[in-house]
Amino acid sequence: MSQSESVGKSTLTHKLLRAHLVSGELEPGAEIGIRIDHTLTQDATGTMVYLEFAQLGLDRVRTELSVSYVDHNLLQTDFRNADDHRFLQSSAARYGVWFSRPGNGVCHQVHLERFGAPGKTMLGSDSHTPTGGGLGMLAIGAGGLEVALAMAGEPFHLKAPQVFGVKLTGELLPWVSAKDVILEMLRRHSVKGGVGKVIEYYGPGVAALSVPDRAVIANMGAELGATSTVWPSDERTREFLRRQGREDAWTALAADLGAQYDQHDEIDLAQLEPLIAMPSMPDKVVTVRQAAGTKVHQVLIGSCANSGLAEMLLAAEVLNGKHGHPEVSLEINPGSRQVELNLAELGALAKLVAAGARLHQCGCLGCIGMGQAPASGTVSLRTFPRNFAGRSGTVDDSVYLCSPQTALAAALAGEIRDPRELGEMPRVKLPKRELLPSAQLIEPPAEGTSVQVVKGPNIVDLPQFAQLPELIDAAVMLKLGDDVTTDQIIPAGNLVLPLRSNLPAISEYTFSKVDHTFAERMKKAGSGLIVGGLNYGQGSSREHAALTVRYLGVAAVIARSFARIHWQNLVNFGVLPLTFTNPEDHGRIESGDRIEISDLRDQLKAGSSISARNASQRLSLTLEHSLSTRQVQMLLDGGLLNYLRKQKAQ
Ligand code: MIC
Ligand code: SF4
């Protein structure tokens, strides 16, 4: 029994898990199945999800609520993106899914405002789905196929997490914000610190943070590698829901007093100061004072963190009557049309425009390299969750992550400045009830079987993959170090994003930013292996990072450790994820080495240890897997879709 299950006092995480448990025991590391209430998809992962859902042969989703958002790719540089939008809209109507139209806002922000509810579970095909944790949900990011299955009413399987309790005391000082809390967590625990854990905040400091504040912290729990982040549901939660006209969705939720956590930490909010993540990893955190004086050319406020009404109103008040620095491009991406509408209603939009801010439509935009790329050799300050190298669209970018407060100070000064130098912080007054725009949110028809799903030529059905072979005898096609991101495996940006629904075409870009010869070499070799270090596959939930390597013939990835979502995606598409029994063996494998794994199917069935041979170096190698029996079968069958087909046929 884990500490968090001890003596009848339960953590909130375990309460939420237990209320949805369908199979397994809450023993950290053991496989459990949970019922999913809400699902969320976004366009960049969603096209695959609806192609996959269609293969399951159902007429309608079997969740309480499923929503399809279009927020990642709004550029429409040619027919492909617009075709994706039509495919998504028609699929939503066909299968009983709400549709949030292009430009209506970033999925996580809109879900908070319009649908999120304490106590519900949510699975989303986006790694920042845990944003819903700010409302007392247990919200988890996953690969698209997992989400398609949840839409079909199937339980979501995961390794029971450890619960990492963080006690909050005190209150944030002026100009210090929720972003600084999560940056402090990243400073302390790194991008690997949350792997296998749900982070649970509790304590007297919780009440001092609003739901949007909590959502920012839950959102970037993804950067810690956490499975999810949960917050209690209290009077602040009720106040937020009331402002959204949804007070009836409220219930109180909290951990039992004295609940024990598997890991523990404490933050005195009053001790925090403005922090900033340096290029190009979210855990390279220093104080803003340490980075002060660095010249800045671009400031972006928005994304799925820090794009809510309170942040935008604060920006309007800080900038009121002033002009942004002439050498800084100050750009504002409101999180949703609701935020935008309320900004207009409250007169804040005029203040932003007058200050020289460039207002963009509501969506992910520059956060995933869809426009807003910074100039070469310049510094960009962003309130976004991620700053992986090159993600902005500029190869040699220098992207810093910070709070809206710090971003505004830089927008005015033209350099990184401690926002506390701005004097008294303006007070922001939120309306009692927000205006709720409805034109961009479409409810599905009660019956969708007569709806025609519209598929443009760029929407290509998934191929059927072969089952796992008995022997792997292949070369290491790429050897990599620690913290490889899915942005490195399959980049986003304006060239690649329009290809998310076309596997053969997108596969050409696999590892293109790491080694542009990779796809070509794989095609020639027909099969291969990848070797990685710690935390392989961190970041995005995009299953294309597994699908494309599978499509090109990668049979296995051998790494020192994996990030959760990517590990699961590899398994789902029949790519074997193995770890080194002896971590030092990572240093002994060279790119180009030929690795043999014989009797693979029998070895997998027999246990968790896999014997292999480095034929080039004449060394034997012991590898491991941490697959459940169900997952072993999935791999043997060549992936989850094959496994399901086989089960259905039986
Ligand atoms: C991200 O922030 O990396 C993304 C882009 O939102 C991804 C989803 C994707 O790649 O489509 C994520 O977070 O899962
Ligand atoms: Fe969109 Fe960026 Fe949030 Fe990902 S992190 S959902 S790209 S805003």
Side-chain angles (χ1 to χ4, degrees):
M1 186 161 53
S2 75
Q3 281 195 41
S4 44
E5 272 281 86
S6 73
V7 284
K9 304 234 168 99
S10 189
T11 62
L12 177 54
T13 306
H14 277 203
K15 288 187 187 186
L16 293 167
L17 282 172
R18 229 177 280 117
H20 292 84
L21 201 63
V22 176
S23 61
E25 301 274 326
L26 291 182
E27 180 65 45
E31 187 175 82
I32 54 170
I34 57 169
R35 184 169 39 80
I36 295 298
D37 302 321
H38 291 190
T39 63
L40 159 169
T41 57
Q42 42 89 341
D43 51 309
T45 53
T47 44
M48 274 299 166
V49 176
Y50 295 98
L51 287 172
E52 288 156 354
F53 185 79
Q55 293 205 10
L56 302 177
L58 296 181
D59 276 333
R60 205 171 175 85
V61 292
R62 296 189 172 155
T63 45
E64 277 178 26
L65 173 88
S66 288
V67 192
S68 169
Y69 294 93
V70 180
D71 51 4
H72 278 60
N73 188 1
L74 309 172
L75 283 186
Q76 295 179 221
T77 47
D78 62 25
F79 70 94
R80 292 173 301 183
N81 187 212
D83 280 4
D84 279 355
H85 296 171
R86 285 191 82 208
F87 168 68
L88 290 166
Q89 181 158 0
S90 55
S91 296
R94 170 72 183 81
Y95 299 119
V97 174
W98 281 77
F99 186 64
S100 175
R101 303 181 71 190
N104 190 43
V106 185
C107 51
H108 310 304
Q109 175 68 24
V110 181
H111 207 88
L112 268 189
E113 291 165 347
R114 303 305 294 270
F115 298 112
K120 301 285 182 195
T121 50
M122 172 156 77
L123 198 70
S125 61
D126 190 280
S127 66
H128 291 104
T129 303
T131 311
L135 262 178
M137 300 179 82
L138 179 66
I140 302 177
L145 187 47
E146 303 281 340
V147 178
L149 282 174
M151 282 163 44
E154 295 293 326
F156 171 59
H157 292 99
L158 72 161
K159 292 197 168 107
Q162 290 186 352
V163 187
F164 179 176
V166 182
K167 182 174 178 186
L168 299 179
T169 57
E171 271 189 46
L172 293 172
L173 298 174
W175 300 108
V176 184
S177 84
K179 187 70 149 217
D180 300 309
V181 178
I182 188 64
L183 288 174
E184 173 65 10
M185 284 292 287
L186 279 155
R187 192 184 68 76
R188 291 187 191 182
H189 300 287
S190 91
V191 290
K192 308 176 200 48
V195 177
K197 300 165 198 169
V198 170
I199 301 177
E200 178 168 323
Y201 292 91
Y202 73 102
V206 168
L209 297 170
S210 67
V211 165
D213 287 339
R214 298 173 192 180
V216 167
I217 296 168
N219 172 289
M220 283 186 69
E223 273 51 69
L224 290 160
T227 302
S228 190
T229 294
V230 299
W231 286 86
S233 169
D234 56 9
E235 281 307 314
R236 298 298 300 265
T237 319
R238 188 181 214 159
E239 170 192 313
F240 175 83
L241 287 168
R242 193 180 302 131
R243 226 175 26 252
Q244 311 304 319
R246 300 196 294 116
E247 195 179 345
D248 55 351
W250 183 77
T251 44
L253 287 173
D256 291 332
L257 221 58
Q260 297 291 304
Y261 293 95
D262 298 304
Q263 185 180 343
H264 194 257
D265 200 357
E266 189 163 333
I267 297 179
D268 178 354
L269 297 173
Q271 294 297 321
L272 292 182
E273 66 171 293
L275 298 172
I276 193 162
M278 310 269 289
S280 297
M281 208 39 90
D283 62 359
K284 285 183 73 182
V285 176
V286 299
T287 64
V288 172
R289 280 183 299 135
Q290 283 170 292
T294 308
K295 215 166 158 32
V296 172
H297 281 91
Q298 186 188 46
V299 168
L300 302 187
I301 303 181
S303 86
C304 55
N306 297 120
S307 63
L309 187 57
E311 281 104 333
M312 298 294 159
L313 286 173
L314 178 74
E317 289 317 313
V318 172
L319 295 170
N320 191 12
K322 302 189 178 101
H323 282 170
H325 190 278
E327 284 187 50
V328 176
S329 176
L330 167 61
E331 308 187 29
I332 295 202
N333 311 342
S336 68
R337 294 282 274 209
Q338 185 177 323
V339 170
E340 198 169 53
L341 181 67
N342 284 279
L343 285 176
E345 174 73 7
L346 297 166
L349 217 45
K351 294 176 188 167
L352 294 171
V353 173
R358 296 170 65 185
L359 277 157
H360 294 267
Q361 66 175 320
C362 312
C364 299
L365 314 181
C367 185
I368 187 184
M370 301 305 283
Q372 301 185 304
S376 35
T378 64
V379 163
S380 174
L381 248 61
R382 301 171 168 213
T383 65
F384 300 175
R386 293 195 168 131
N387 61 344
F388 303 142
R391 178 175 155 105
S392 67
T394 298
V395 180
D396 59 343
D397 61 10
S398 266
V399 175
Y400 291 64
L401 305 176
C402 63
S403 67
Q405 287 82 340
T406 303
L408 288 163
L412 290 169
E415 60 180 39
I416 297 179
R417 281 265 176 96
D418 190 323
R420 292 173 296 184
E421 290 172 23
L422 288 172
E424 200 176 326
M425 191 168 91
R427 279 180 66 86
V428 163
K429 200 168 166 327
L430 288 167
K432 279 217 160 54
R433 284 287 289 264
E434 293 186 25
L435 292 179
L436 308 177
S438 51
Q440 295 287 95
L441 206 50
I442 302 177
E443 190 171 356
E447 154 68 41
T449 43
S450 60
V451 175
Q452 193 65 35
V453 172
V454 188
K455 275 191 193 173
N458 189 43
I459 294 167
V460 178
D461 288 330
L462 277 176
Q464 194 168 338
F465 294 121
Q467 61 172 16
L468 195 79
E470 197 53 79
L471 167 74
I472 292 181
D473 179 357
V476 174
M477 302 298 276
L478 209 53
K479 182 181 170 190
L480 302 152
D482 293 346
D483 295 325
V484 168
T485 70
T486 47
D487 278 273
Q488 287 170 294
I489 303 172
I490 190 75
N494 62 334
L495 278 182
V496 186
L497 223 49
L499 303 174
R500 285 282 183 97
S501 52
N502 185 342
L503 181 58
I506 198 172
S507 297
E508 301 288 331
Y509 291 88
T510 315
F511 283 112
S512 56
K513 295 207 168 158
V514 177
D515 174 352
H516 68 276
T517 67
F518 180 79
E520 220 27 67
R521 287 192 292 119
M522 275 304 303
K523 277 192 277 178
K524 271 205 195 108
S527 72
L529 298 171
I530 294 169
V531 170
L534 293 168
N535 201 25
Y536 178 85
Q538 69 158 329
S540 155
S541 66
R542 63 191 71 149
E543 58 191 347
H544 305 75
L547 260 169
T548 54
V549 298
R550 171 73 214 241
Y551 184 77
L552 292 173
V554 171
V557 180
I558 309 172
R560 288 187 60 194
S561 70
F562 289 88
R564 175 187 63 89
I565 305 179
H566 186 60
W567 180 87
Q568 181 77 62
N569 284 337
L570 288 172
V571 177
N572 286 350
F573 293 104
V575 182
L576 187 58
L578 295 170
T579 49
F580 296 99
T581 304
N582 175 4
E584 316 242 299
D585 280 342
H586 178 264
R588 292 192 195 109
I589 292 192
E590 299 297 335
S591 193
D593 282 0
R594 231 187 71 233
I595 308 290
E596 288 171 7
I597 314 181
S598 41
D599 302 323
L600 179 57
R601 297 179 67 89
D602 286 339
Q603 288 208 64
L604 268 182
K605 282 186 244 171
S608 60
S609 177
I610 303 284
S611 311
R613 203 169 151 266
N614 185 334
S616 306
Q617 306 207 25
R618 295 167 196 234
L619 288 174
S620 57
L621 196 61
T622 315
L623 304 168
E624 273 166 26
H625 73 78
S626 57
L627 303 158
S628 67
T629 319
R630 192 183 60 89
Q631 288 163 332
V632 166
Q633 195 52 52
M634 271 164 55
L635 266 158
L636 294 175
D637 293 344
L640 181 51
L641 279 171
N642 289 354
Y643 170 81
L644 292 171
R645 275 189 207 107
K646 216 168 110 182
Q647 288 211 321
K648 220 169 148 188
Q650 274 165 9

